[in-house]
Amino acid sequence: MPPGRVHLVVALRTEAQPLIDHFSMLPASSGRGFRSFANSDRGLALVLSGVGRAAAAAAVAHLARDDTDPAWLNIGIAGHRNLPIGAARLAHKVHCASSARSWYPPLVFEIPCPTATVRTVDRATRDFPTDDLYEMEAAGFYEIAARFAPHELVHSFKVVSDNRARPAETLTADSVGSLIGDSLETINALIEPLQRLSAELSERRVEPGGLERLLQASHFTTTQRRQLRRLLRRWSVVCPQVDAVDWVAFKALPDAGSVIASMQEHLEGVAPTFGPGG
Amino acid sequence: MIETIYIEDDVEAHPRARRLLDRFPAARVIPCGRYTEVFNPAAQSFRLQKENPALILARKRGNLVLEAPPELGIGEGPGFYFSHMLNCLYDCRYCFLQGMFRSAHYVLFVNFEDFEAAIDDTLTDGGEKPSYFFSGYDCDSLALESLSGFVERFVPFFAVRPGAVLELRTKSVAIRSLLAMTPSPNVVVAFSFTPAEAAAAIEHGAPRVGQRVRAAAELAAAGWPVGLRLDPLLWYDGWRAGYATLIDGLAAAIPAAAIHSASLGPLRFPSKMFQRIHRMYPEDALLSGPLARRDDFVSYSAAREAELVGFVEERLRRAFDDIAVFFFTPRAT
Ligand code: SF4
């Protein structure tokens, strides 16, 4: 299975530094607009979005040029009326206060921490009127990331940095870094299943075996290419014991049209086999 | 095991919702405005959600009882369907739900009382022939009984409405609540079957065929009318022997007098739905098999369909005297 990929979207360098260090990421040559980091062997990329919904959305779009079915994880700090500093939460609902829209990231894997509603606001708040986590990026992140990946692969993870007893003004760069650094175990436990889901999706899109060789052997129109891809996929399921390229060569089929017609006819005649039932 | 429950703000105080919340005290409970906010967004992965579906508690608003397509008929009267649930515990590879819904979460509409009122309204409008109500259109009627309590509530409701027939369509063997009740002549428990080897490969998570046959036999012995639903009919290596064994097994276990009806349906998918499902499961043998586009459907060739229907119908008629056989295009279960 190809390795799964996870894209991390983080607002500030202070939040990102522990991740960059922990995952041994290096600066990536990512063009203008956003600073990004990556560790390709680990399948991880990170973009610094800056503060706010619009910035988070733009950062997702920036990183989404990569087309390898990545999962998306927004990581950052948030405020809550009474949760203790350092409490880690995965969003089970992302609510945008200004548009009143909500998203519900489906929780299909084992979740390593409690979950909560994350409320994205346009201005930092001190009074936390609802029992939600307050921050400024998740809604912008989610709305755009869910255009590039199924919702199951888009998540937002927050660590409580301030509450009514300890307002945000007391935060320092060091304390923000420590909050994220202290949650690395949980972050790892989130990245793992996300990588598995991303790999599963990529696997379904892998080109079927033999496609390139058959395309080289005859001239296929665009429609015929699509048909051939579909036929080869079916072939690999229905006749896994016969190499399709050898079969086509043995039949000495003269052109693309006859390759497609013959493969279709052959597959039409093969009944699926099911093992003994219960 | 339900780990996540979404609940519409509107049903938070509903007694059926409260009971379910009490039943799963460890579940994370997430409030939502309308269930559609969770269930309908595009770009969800039905396949991934099937790994761990959540429960959504909602209120059904409008269109509670709908006219059933005529091909679903198992009698002469008008047909209707109603869906107290969307989605299913099982994961049959031919199921149209996986192509129709964007989400695999279980939606339970808790306002049973509104369904009952709508059914009564429909009956008031009805003529002399009994009206048929199908409950297993968007779910399996019995599979999540322990959650829904559907049978417990609706079987007694229909039992005192002789002008109506309820069909419970299922692959489940959760028949305890039915066995605890007095059988109703107007409630048909219709079991869906494919031959054992096909079921094992395709009907993921569903009880084995032998278990279903035993459950149907137990209900028949207790006096319940039993339906046999052989759809979709599947073409595979050894299908003749498979169907012969299945029908012989049914005939040995269930007396002909207990059979309300049988119905047969070919394997057919609307073309767009087939594309969606096949894209989701490109490695599946059934979906990669000899299916071709015919008009707006993807199905076996007409000749194969006719061969399947002819063979199975003939075996059924041979096995069960005077059996009523209906033919229709399959949907769920
Ligand atoms: S075909 Fe019926 S039993 Fe199978 S998954 Fe669909 S609804 Fe459930």
Side-chain angles (χ1 to χ4, degrees):
Chain A
M1 201 184 273
R5 292 178 60 79
V6 181
H7 286 353
L8 310 177
V9 179
V10 185
L12 300 171
R13 180 70 188 240
T14 46
E15 296 166 301
Q17 197 58 50
L19 301 164
I20 293 167
D21 295 343
H22 178 75
F23 294 115
S24 312
M25 292 189 191
L26 295 172
S29 52
S30 53
R32 284 180 299 169
F34 293 92
R35 292 189 66 190
S36 58
F37 301 82
N39 180 339
S40 311
D41 295 340
R42 285 283 324 254
L44 294 173
L46 182 150
V47 63
L48 294 178
S49 68
V51 174
R53 268 191 303 146
V60 170
H62 173 82
L63 217 52
R65 293 169 308 171
D66 179 341
D67 60 355
T68 50
D69 297 303
W72 293 85
L73 183 59
N74 164 228
I75 298 176
I77 54 170
H80 187 272
R81 54 161 71 145
N82 53 12
L83 278 175
I85 307 298
R89 296 289 184 269
L90 186 72
H92 58 218
K93 173 175 176 175
V94 173
H95 180 78
C96 177
S98 62
S99 70
R101 278 191 72 187
S102 296
W103 295 268
Y104 300 83
L107 307 170
V108 297
F109 51 87
E110 202 177 315
I111 308 299
C113 60
T115 62
T117 296
V118 169
R119 184 174 288 258
T120 302
V121 290
D122 288 341
R123 261 198 228 137
T125 177
R126 292 183 64 161
D127 57 349
F128 311 119
T130 59
D131 187 29
D132 302 329
L133 290 164
Y134 283 74
E135 56 77 76
M136 298 176 74
E137 287 82 33
F141 157 82
Y142 199 97
E143 179 171 14
I144 302 304
R147 292 179 189 216
F148 295 107
H151 288 239
E152 292 72 18
L153 273 70
V154 182
H155 290 278
S156 178
F157 173 79
K158 299 288 159 181
V159 182
V160 175
S161 57
D162 50 292
N163 53 30
R164 281 179 181 162
R166 262 190 60 192
E169 290 74 40
T170 60
L171 285 171
T172 63
D174 276 356
S175 65
V176 169
S178 309
L179 287 169
I180 301 293
D182 291 347
S183 299
L184 282 170
E185 205 178 308
T186 313
I187 292 170
N188 263 320
L190 279 170
I191 286 177
E192 248 171 61
L194 286 174
Q195 273 187 312
R196 175 179 62 81
L197 295 180
S198 154
E200 245 180 81
L201 278 195
S202 302
E203 168 84 352
R204 275 184 242 159
R205 287 194 234 275
V206 167
E207 292 289 15
L211 181 67
E212 273 315 308
R213 279 191 291 160
L214 287 176
L215 287 178
Q216 275 162 19
S218 311
H219 172 73
F220 288 79
T221 63
T222 311
T223 309
Q224 285 174 328
R225 275 166 186 254
R226 221 177 299 130
Q227 288 173 322
L228 180 65
R229 188 178 287 115
R230 267 203 302 270
L231 283 167
L232 281 169
R233 282 224 171 91
R234 277 180 62 194
W235 189 287
S236 67
V237 176
V238 177
C239 314
Q241 65 290 358
V242 182
D243 183 281
V245 180
D246 291 348
W247 186 87
V248 167
F250 176 74
K251 291 255 168 187
L253 300 165
D255 54 33
S258 52
V259 168
I260 284 169
S262 299
M263 286 178 73
Q264 237 154 12
E265 196 188 322
H266 180 72
L267 290 174
E268 177 64 14
V270 184
T273 342
F274 303 129
Chain B
M1 201 3 219
I2 298 292
E3 288 173 15
T4 303
I5 300 177
Y6 297 95
I7 181 165
E8 283 186 350
D9 300 330
D10 193 24
V11 300
E12 221 182 303
H14 193 286
R16 188 160 293 102
R18 298 297 337 158
R19 268 200 302 279
L20 281 163
L21 293 178
D22 289 346
R23 218 166 114 216
F24 297 103
R28 66 179 70 86
V29 178
I30 306 169
C32 61
R34 288 282 158 98
Y35 82 91
T36 47
E37 288 174 21
V38 182
F39 195 70
N40 282 1
Q44 300 188 74
S45 166
F46 191 96
R47 179 171 176 167
L48 294 180
Q49 282 188 19
K50 208 66 191 158
E51 291 181 17
N52 193 10
L55 173 65
I56 305 177
L57 301 175
R59 177 184 300 282
K60 176 78 178 161
R61 301 166 177 90
N63 293 330
L64 285 103
V65 175
L66 293 163
E67 246 173 71
E71 63 270 22
L72 207 68
I74 51 164
E76 288 195 342
F80 302 93
Y81 72 94
F82 63 103
S83 299
H84 68 291
M85 277 200 88
L86 309 180
N87 276 326
C88 180
L89 183 63
Y90 311 135
D91 192 14
C92 306
R93 203 45 68 238
Y94 52 73
C95 182
F96 83 101
L97 299 179
Q98 62 192 339
M100 192 169 77
F101 296 140
R102 287 164 170 168
S103 165
H105 294 329
Y106 310 128
V107 180
L108 175 65
F109 297 114
V110 295
N111 52 327
F112 286 4
E113 57 285 354
D114 295 333
F115 284 103
E116 289 171 345
I119 291 165
D120 274 339
D121 285 350
T122 314
L123 282 174
T124 318
D125 299 345
E128 305 211 323
K129 289 179 182 141
S131 299
Y132 289 81
F133 291 85
F134 301 95
S135 68
Y137 205 61
D138 292 321
C139 65
D140 181 292
S141 301
L142 289 189
L144 283 165
E145 177 62 15
S146 63
L147 271 188
S148 69
F150 170 76
V151 164
E152 227 166 64
R153 169 92 178 215
F154 278 84
V155 169
F157 173 84
F158 275 92
V160 295
R161 285 162 176 78
V165 176
L166 171 67
E167 183 195 88
L168 300 169
R169 177 79 75 90
T170 193
K171 289 192 180 90
S172 169
V173 295
I175 56 171
R176 209 177 316 146
S177 53
L178 283 170
L179 289 174
M181 293 176 192
T182 309
S184 286
N186 64 335
V187 175
V188 180
V189 190
F191 284 88
S192 298
F193 294 103
T194 56
E197 57 279 11
I202 293 168
E203 296 168 355
H204 306 286
R208 289 197 306 272
V209 168
Q211 294 174 300
R212 282 180 241 169
V213 174
R214 278 194 292 283
E218 261 188 82
L219 287 170
W224 291 91
V226 166
L228 305 178
R229 305 289 171 252
L230 276 66
D231 75 90
L233 292 167
L234 301 176
W235 188 80
Y236 63 96
D237 192 17
W239 65 268
R240 277 195 182 77
Y243 278 102
T245 307
L246 170 65
I247 293 166
D248 290 350
L250 287 166
I254 308 167
I259 304 289
H260 170 273
S261 57
S263 53
L264 310 180
L267 179 71
R268 274 191 204 159
F269 300 92
S271 300
K272 288 232 168 72
M273 182 185 285
F274 179 80
Q275 277 172 16
R276 265 200 302 278
I277 298 174
H278 197 198
R279 226 179 288 131
M280 233 187 303
Y281 296 98
E283 74 288 6
D284 184 79
L286 175 79
L287 302 172
S288 300
L291 296 162
R293 198 171 163 157
R294 285 168 54 204
D295 303 323
D296 290 336
F297 285 93
V298 169
S299 65
Y300 298 133
S301 66
R304 252 173 214 154
E305 256 185 29
E307 209 183 340
L308 273 162
V309 172
F311 178 84
V312 174
E313 184 191 358
E314 201 263 326
R315 294 297 294 217
L316 272 174
R317 292 200 189 281
R318 228 199 289 164
F320 296 96
D321 288 341
D322 298 326
I323 190 169
V325 182
F326 297 90
F327 304 88
F328 60 80
T329 309
R331 304 279 315 242
T333 59

